[in-house]
Amino acid sequence: MSYILVVDDSPTIRTSVEFTIKEFGFPIKQAENGAEALDTINEFKGKGEDLALVVIDVNMPVMDGISFLKEFKKTDRFTPVLILTTESEGAKIKEGKDAGAAGWMIKPFKPENLKDVVMKLIQ
Amino acid sequence: MIKTKDMKTGRDLFILYPGDYYASAIQCFIGSVTGSCVIVCLYDTIRRIGGMGFLIVPGAIGTEGIYRDQIAAQGINQMELLLGELVKLGADRKNLTAKIFGAATFRESRLSREFISTSQLRFIDQYFKSEKIPVYVDDLGGDYRRKIYFSPTDGKVYRKVLSNNDESSEFIKMELEFINRIFRNKDTFGDVILFE
Ligand SMILES: [Mg+2]
C-alpha cells in the first residue's frame, strides 16, 4: 500500500497531522525538512513503495517546503503535494500554486478540513 | 510593535504589544510587558538568533493532550508564528532554548487562578516537551506584571517586576484585548485552497 509523507520541522505538528489522517489506513512516514523528505522518498522508491501524498510545511530549516516542491516536481508531476503552513500571503500561495502544489492549507488546521482535503487528494 | 532606541545602550529596541512576535539575527532589544499571558523568548544557541512572542491558550485542554486538541491548536499556532520568523532568519528548532515569563493571576481578572495554573501551565509543559525545546527559565505565576527585555543575539533576558500598574496601563488594556480576541477566535481555523 502506498504511503503518506508528513513533513514539518515541528514534532508536535507532525504528530497532530498523523493522528488526524491515520484513520484512512495509509502508512504514514515523517520527515523534518524538505531535504529529508526527498531522501525518504528516494529510499522508499528503491524499495518499491509508492507515495500517495505529501503534506508539507513551508518554513523549515535546511530546505523549505516551496524548494522541496520545485525539486520534487522535476521527477514526479502526479503525486499531490498539500502545503500546510502559517503563511497566508497571496504571493506565497501563488508561488506554491505555480510550483505545482495541489492545495494550500493555513494553520491552525481544522482536523475535519484536513481529512476532507486528504480524502479528495488521495482518490 | 514599535521601533525605538534603548537609551542606555543606543541599540534598536522593538517594543512588542500583546499578540506581536518578532525575531532578529542582529543586535537589538525586544521588549514587552506581560501579566496573565506568557512571553516566550526562544534562542538558537548555535546561530545566535532569537525571538519573542506571546502565548495564551483559550480554554481547557482535554485529557488526550495537545495533539488532538483544538484549544491547544491555537497555542501551537501562536508558537508556530514565532518559530516561522526564526526559521526564516536561519534558526533551527534543534538548537533552540526557551525562557518563559508570565502567567500571573490578578484578583480583578476574568481569568481564574485555576485556569491559568492548569490550562496554561499544562500546555507549556506538554508543548515544550513535545518540541524537545529545553526551558531554561520559567518564571511563572504570582500576582504581578513583568517587564521583559530580550537580547536576541546572546539570549540574555532582563526582567523587572512591576509593582505599580500605572507604568503599564497601556499594556494591561492591550493584553485584555488580545486575550479577548484569542478567546473569541478559538473556533477559527485557517482557510483551505485547492488548486485542482
Ligand atoms: Mg515550520
Side-chain angles (χ1 to χ4, degrees):
Chain A
M1 190 180 197
S2 52
Y3 68 96
I4 296 175
L5 181 60
V6 177
V7 193
D8 200 300
D9 55 329
S10 162
T12 313
I13 305 256
R14 291 199 302 271
T15 307
S16 297
V17 171
E18 179 160 350
F19 274 151
T20 306
I21 61 176
K22 72 176 177 195
E23 68 186 50
F24 294 119
F26 285 77
I28 295 168
K29 302 187 198 305
Q30 297 189 2
E32 296 181 2
N33 60 62
E36 209 186 282
L38 290 172
D39 288 348
T40 306
I41 292 165
N42 280 331
E43 187 195 328
F44 287 99
K45 196 187 272 174
K47 293 178 186 165
E49 285 192 48
D50 284 338
L51 179 60
L53 168 72
V54 181
V55 180
I56 189 166
D57 183 24
V58 169
N59 295 317
M60 296 177 288
V62 189
M63 183 191 269
D64 66 69
I66 303 286
S67 304
F68 163 87
L69 187 59
K70 289 176 181 164
E71 206 51 43
F72 177 69
K73 286 289 162 185
K74 285 182 190 165
T75 57
D76 185 338
R77 284 170 49 217
F78 301 108
T79 306
V81 175
L82 174 66
I83 307 277
L84 178 59
T85 177
T86 52
E87 296 291 336
S88 57
E89 204 188 305
K92 263 267 150 87
I93 297 174
K94 188 175 180 302
E95 205 188 339
K97 183 181 183 225
D98 292 347
W104 192 282
M105 253 188 108
I106 298 163
K107 293 171 179 169
F109 68 87
K110 193 176 172 65
E112 290 73 37
N113 290 349
L114 181 62
K115 278 183 209 169
D116 287 350
V117 171
V118 167
M119 184 107 102
K120 273 189 198 128
L121 294 179
I122 55 184
Q123 266 165 7
Chain B
M1 183 175 76
I2 55 165
K3 185 182 170 185
T4 170
K5 286 253 183 251
D6 175 53
M7 308 257 244
K8 251 191 251 167
T9 59
R11 282 192 214 172
D12 284 340
L13 166 62
F14 297 88
I15 298 176
L16 304 195
Y17 293 117
D20 289 346
Y21 49 91
Y22 185 70
S24 179
I26 50 176
Q27 202 176 55
C28 66
F29 286 113
I30 307 170
S32 195
V33 171
T34 188
S36 296
C37 288
V38 176
I39 281 182
V40 177
C41 300
L42 297 175
Y43 176 60
D44 182 323
T45 54
I46 309 288
R47 310 264 162 73
R48 300 178 181 278
I49 302 168
M52 179 193 276
F54 278 81
L55 175 67
I56 186 95
V57 179
I61 293 166
T63 47
E64 287 200 72
I66 60 172
Y67 299 121
R68 294 169 201 247
D69 192 278
Q70 305 209 15
I71 293 290
Q74 302 293 341
I76 292 168
N77 205 59
Q78 292 161 29
M79 290 292 93
E80 275 292 295
L81 292 167
L82 170 61
L83 284 156
E85 292 306 300
L86 284 158
V87 167
K88 281 183 214 169
L89 294 174
D92 193 323
R93 212 175 274 256
K94 291 198 179 93
N95 310 325
L96 290 178
T97 57
K99 294 180 180 177
I100 56 183
F101 306 86
T105 47
F106 305 96
R107 224 180 320 157
E108 72 279 11
S109 168
R110 59 171 275 200
L111 303 176
S112 70
R113 181 180 300 268
E114 226 272 312
F115 169 73
I116 296 285
S117 62
T118 55
S119 286
Q120 308 306 310
L121 302 191
R122 191 148 171 248
F123 175 81
I124 288 166
D125 179 52
Q126 292 186 23
Y127 178 78
F128 287 100
K129 266 187 199 141
S130 168
E131 290 293 313
K132 299 188 182 71
I133 297 175
V135 178
Y136 280 8
V137 174
D138 58 338
D139 171 31
L140 303 170
D143 60 353
Y144 44 85
R145 293 184 168 80
R146 294 155 168 95
K147 184 176 181 177
I148 305 295
Y149 263 42
F150 176 52
S151 167
T153 50
D154 61 16
K156 285 203 178 106
V157 172
Y158 306 86
R159 185 207 72 157
K160 189 180 160 195
V161 169
L162 300 177
S163 46
N164 184 343
N165 283 343
D166 298 345
E167 237 185 290
S168 54
S169 58
E170 194 190 5
F171 282 93
I172 294 171
K173 194 171 140 261
M174 293 182 85
E175 183 176 45
L176 187 63
E177 283 168 12
F178 171 60
I179 291 171
N180 285 337
R181 175 160 59 85
I182 293 294
F183 273 78
R184 212 169 40 240
N185 294 332
K186 67 170 187 277
D187 298 319
T188 307
F189 294 91
D191 287 341
V192 185
I193 304 154
L194 281 177
F195 297 133
E196 49 195 47

